[in-house]
Amino acid sequence: MYEGAPIEEIRGATRRTFETIIQLALSERVDFMLIAGDLYDGELQDYRTALFLTQQMAILNQANIPVFIVLGNHDAEARVTKRLSLPPNVHVFPSSKPKTHELRDLGVAIHGQSFARAAVTENLAAEYPARREGLFNIGLLHTCLSGTSGTKGYANYAPTSPDMLRTRGYDYWALGHVHERMVISTSPWIVYPGNPQGRHVRETGDKGCELVRVDGSQVQVEQYRFAHVLWEVLKVDATGAQTADEVYERVATKLQAIVARESRLVCVRIEIAGSTAAHFALAGEPDLKVKIQNVLLQVGGDLWLERVVLRTSDQATASAAEGLESLAEIRATIDGIVASDVERASLTEIFADLDSKIPAELRGEDGINLGDPAYIAGFIEEAAEELSLRVIKAGAQQ
Amino acid sequence: MRIERLHLKAFGPFTNRDLDLSNGNGKLQLIHGLNEAGKSSLLRAITNAFFGFEPQCGDDFLHNYKDFCIGAELKLDGGGEYAFERLKRTKNSLRTPSGDLLQESELQGILGVQRAVFLELFGLNHETLRAGGRRIVDGEGDLARSLFESGGLASLVSIGSALNDDARALFVKSGQRELNTLFKGIQELRAAVKSTVLHSEDYLAKEKRAREIDTSLEQARVRQSQLTMEHTRLLRIKGNKSELAEYDRYEVDLAALGPVPDLATEAPQERVAESTTLHQAEERSAELRQEVEIAEAEVATIPPDPPLLEFPAQIASLDEPTVNYRKQRDDRPALARRADAALSSAEKLWNAAFPGQDISFLETITKRAEEQTSVRQLLNQLHRIEVAEESHSKAVRDGDEELDRRNLELQALPPAPDTRILDGIIAALPNPQELARQMQKLSRETDALKESVSLQSRKLLAGWNQDADLLTMDVPSAETISRYEGEFDGIATSLRDYREKHRASSEKQSDASYRIEQENLSGNVPTQEELLAEREVRDRGWRLIRDSAIDGKFSLADAEIQYQAGTPIADAFEGHMLVADTIADDMRANSDRVVRIAELRLQLQKAHGELLQVNGEIEKLQAAESRLAAEWGQLWIALGGTPHNPREMREWCLQREVVIQRINELKAKNREREDVATVRDSARGQLSLALADLGEPPANENEPFEAVVERAKTFVAERKSDREQRKECDRRIRELELKLPKLREEVGKDEQVRISWQEEWNSAAEKLGVTFASTGQVQQFLDKLPEIVGHWSDYRNLHGRVQGIEEETKQYTSKVRELVARIADDLLSAEPDAAAGELKRRYKVAESNASCRVELERRIREARANLTLQEQKKERAAERLNVMCKAAGCSSPEELPAIEAAFAIKRELTTKLEQIARILCRSNSMTFEEVRVEADEVSSDFIQVHLNEVASEENTVAAEIESLVEERTTIRNALELAQDATAHATNVDGLQAKIAAAGLLAERYIRLRLAGAVLERTLLRYQQKYESPLLERASELFSRLTDHRFARLTTQVGEDDRKVLAAVRGGSGKLVEVDGLSDGTADQLFLALRLAAIEEHLTRTETLPCIFDDIVVYFDDGRSKTVLQVLADMAKHSQILLFTHHDHIVKLAEEQIPGQFELYWLETSKIASSAAAAT
């Protein structure tokens, strides 16, 4: 979260969305519910989430709606999972081996196996039981599916492939692990529903769950979208804009489209790009975020500005800057650093003090890694930008 | 690149002046001009032509900014040419000489440097030369860096410092910077998150224990309920036993009374009522007999009715006539006087208006209405004729007089000059009053603004540094202020919330403590012994009542003394009975109280915990507030004091904006005032000339503008008035000459009209019968006639009314005398109104006597009827008393009270027996038989032992329940608190917010530090690349400029391991630091460094013209010659312009570099060139 964020709404969004799913199950009078893992975050130690889940499952229990769950890598990590005491309508598949639940009244067989630990590298699907004839067979699996670009960037747990899934002869594969919705196949149906509520700006767009209707051999899959809070990255093209105000107007126009479309809270990151004469005015604006926030206020609606990312380049002043010998010298220095491993490695030394103080929460795979020359080199262009701006400003002042 | 020509069309002191430099190629171009000739302006002109005009350059003393225009023709190194004109515009200021737009980038591409670099290297005057040199000396002692600075990258070092400062403001290894604080905050919140995590094992263990307690509690409560029931049963039996014993005693008392007849409940009351009725009837009969006797005696005294009672209508009819008779008798004399007066007035007026004629003619003349009208019309016609005659005569007289006057006036008027030119000037003038008013208004406004600005500035800076410049001072932006305001408000709101929580928790704590105290105070639980003792007192009371009231062993008063002296025994008994019941109730309530105390202790503990947490939060917030206040104070360092809060400082900023706006307004007002003065002076000159042309004195210098205008206007107005007057005289004379003959004709016509009228008048007066001597007398008679008729009419009316009154008086007297003769002849001699009054009085007396007799006879009849009724009542009461005696079995009514008393005792005993049985049944919810059976089940000897055993076990179970409830409440509260994720969520949110903020800030720090590092390396590279060649070339030039008194320049390591520049003396080789050089030598050193840097720069870019403005001012002739030679050498490669105002520099050039320089004379009116002699 950031300063000024609508904390209550964002914090409660995931639970509110889960409640909506439960209400959908009740209103649609579904026969059962499937959850393909990662109900919790692995680091989660707080039992209150478990209590919330129990309450929601109890609602389904009262409506006689069974729930089938396989535990994913995060659930397996989470300490609360082991202590969970769920109502009798909830069936958690074992992690030792696959199990099949037959719902004879409905003509359905559900196959599944939970993760025993976070890093499951075996192909669990390969061991799933054979199809039960005469029934509608469903595979419930937490997996990183190969052969699709959509799973790139996800930990390769319980890896399997669409072909492997097809060999099981099931009618429907309900998959978990990937946060984006993906329909891998419709024959048989292989579906990642994605997570129902985006957690941050990297999980954009509307989200929800899948409502599957089966009539004989006819399968109809419908996506319900009802994320409580929407995350969006708004790209604003500043090309040709002469002034910062003109850019703000473009931002306002884009935001107005969102406000006209959405009545719920939209958390928006604004990326301004393009070649513009207003580049230095924007880059040199110390309160750019405040300026953009003012635009949000003027536009109205339920919007929260997550961040402003400026990727503009200069149009006219670039030519003036070219004339500055100092900038040429700076560019030459940067080129030298980029080209030399030794130079880049030496940069880590200047951050030793900071490195020793960085809290663990800021480190990690996507976090701050000051011991890595490549990480620091990633900032070199931004540093060059900062320098150029200051040099040009100093020139203008003289 | 060279400047071939400069066209100074409008700039500074120049207007359409050209400078042709095309003939100086390869030579030093020496531009000579005296002081104020425009040398400095020329340097600014060249700079502005190249890089655009600066917003407020101050060169607008002759030309307005909008008119600025400088043209230039350049010859490029590659042989090309480039011509342009520079205007003062915010954009599109560059164009070709023919007016087409040029791209700025094109010219900047040719120049290859920014304005700062150009001024630093290529546009030097003595001041900038020295300042640059001083920077070299002061610039950390590193020559390369200093040269780097002077080479156009002056800002890089300060940028590096700024970057490092900015980075250090974010983070230092040990300190309290923004990032350090955030890291610390993350640590704290991490711990806070950990402390608020709900661990599943804890939650589940508590939940299990809560269930176990519920089970134990249920069992204990069942047992407690059983014990309570048994306790209640034993207490009930114990109480019932004493009640039953009392019941038995009453039964014995009842048997002792023997047989007593049953009487009706109301028998004693009936007996008393009948006896009373009998007695009252006897008394009333006697009273009625006496009343009859008295009334009959009164009737006998009233006289019989007189005969006048038979004439009530006739007597009554006398009332109204009596009144009329009196009134008319009174009015008649006054009416007669008024009639006489009216007649007298009429006769007087008639005789005056128409003397000699009897008033009886009045009746005749009032009937001749038509004749009166004719006479009145002729009188009116005569009036009109007289008016016309007077008017026509007067017109003829006036016309003659005016004709004579106009002719004289015309002859006296002077000739008129032509004032049209002056009139035109006046018409085109601005309103002088308006001008004066504007001037006054502008003066007032500027004075007020000046004072306001001064006052507001002082007010705004009150308490701060009064010398601070409001216009240029650095103040935080509105967004920054808003951000701080938000942060301050946020902390204040949180503090308020936590203080409210603190108050609420304190109240909860106090409330729980108070309630526990109250529970403990009310905890004087009565004991079993106290209950038994109170019941014993109650029983003793009942025994005393029974012994006194029933058994009659002693009186009730004695019983009261024995039981509770001073209180009626029944009340005392009832009081003790209530106390005994209350004690039993209190004992049952005690177990509930114990449970309440346990719950209250838990509340107390919870409130204490909340208080501790809230105190911690308040301390944290107060610390944050202090930190924020310190940062806030830093932002306002420019004010030299401690700022107010952001809201007030925003207001301060707004006020500052207002002051700045006022300052700008003041400037505008001053300009406006000057404009008005110019307009006024111009108008004054025109007026003065025009007045002189008309022979009037011209305006002298001391004559105010308004007076000149007024004089001119008066002059024009007077001449105009003369012309108008002449014109008017001519017109009027012509009119009169036409009009006068016509008026004289009208006078003749008037005489004919009067003759005709006289004839008509004579005829009309005769018809009316009024032949007076003059028309005036006729008019007077006719005017008086209505008044005479009015008086005559009044006389006639009043006279009639007097006659009527006399007739009515006669009729009334006759009527009265007739009635008196019939019924009261003794009144025949009385006046009619007195006789009528006496008749009426006699009638009223007779009527009253008759009425009194009737009333007495009615009362006698009523008394006799009532007497009969009383006799009947007496008989009925005696009969009822006999019936009662029969029922009670006695012979006379006197025996009845004793029998009734015995029956009352019997009834009271029966009631008590029924009451005890009813109480026992109701309090035990059993039948009387069941109560007796239950009481018989337990022996009286052992009942107290059983009670003690049960009470002991009850206490044990209550303690157990209290303990379980307490534990259960604690666990339930803990579980409830655990489910409330607010604190945990707040901590998590806070942690995430800090992580996000720290991430952004850390990235910012990385960028700044990285930028700083890149800059450091850039400077290092530059040093390595350029230091040696620069120093070498500067050494050569310096040695040459100092006539080799100094051999070279060198660097040495000074303090802090920094390089320091030093000069090496020729011969001795002694090192002299820059501060040790004379001013002239230092100037030569600075010049050498600059020339070396320029040469180095020109090797890498397009050549640029170098302009030196009086840089040799401190050089002796020898060194000046050397400089001239060096510059002449440089001029072979690039354009060198040397400005000077010294003639001897020109002479030195002629001596030192003949043929190598071109001389130009600079004047603001012209720029001439002349080739110097090359000898």
Side-chain angles (χ1 to χ4, degrees), chain B residues 929-949:
Chain B
E929 287 72 25
E930 286 170 341
V931 172
R932 192 176 281 283
V933 169
E934 188 187 59
D936 292 344
E937 282 174 0
V938 184
S939 164
S940 298
D941 298 336
F942 295 106
I943 196 161
Q944 188 57 46
V945 176
H946 289 329
L947 269 170
N948 292 344
E949 287 170 359

Side-chain angles (χ1 to χ4, degrees), chain B residues 310-347:
Chain B
E310 293 167 16
F311 300 93
Q314 288 86 340
I315 294 169
S317 72
L318 293 176
D319 280 351
E320 194 178 343
T322 304
V323 173
N324 282 339
Y325 166 72
R326 284 180 187 158
K327 189 174 182 302
Q328 287 176 357
R329 193 181 61 188
D330 294 343
D331 289 348
R332 186 189 166 283
L335 287 173
R337 281 196 299 277
R338 281 170 59 198
D340 292 343
L343 178 60
S344 172
S345 298
E347 285 174 341

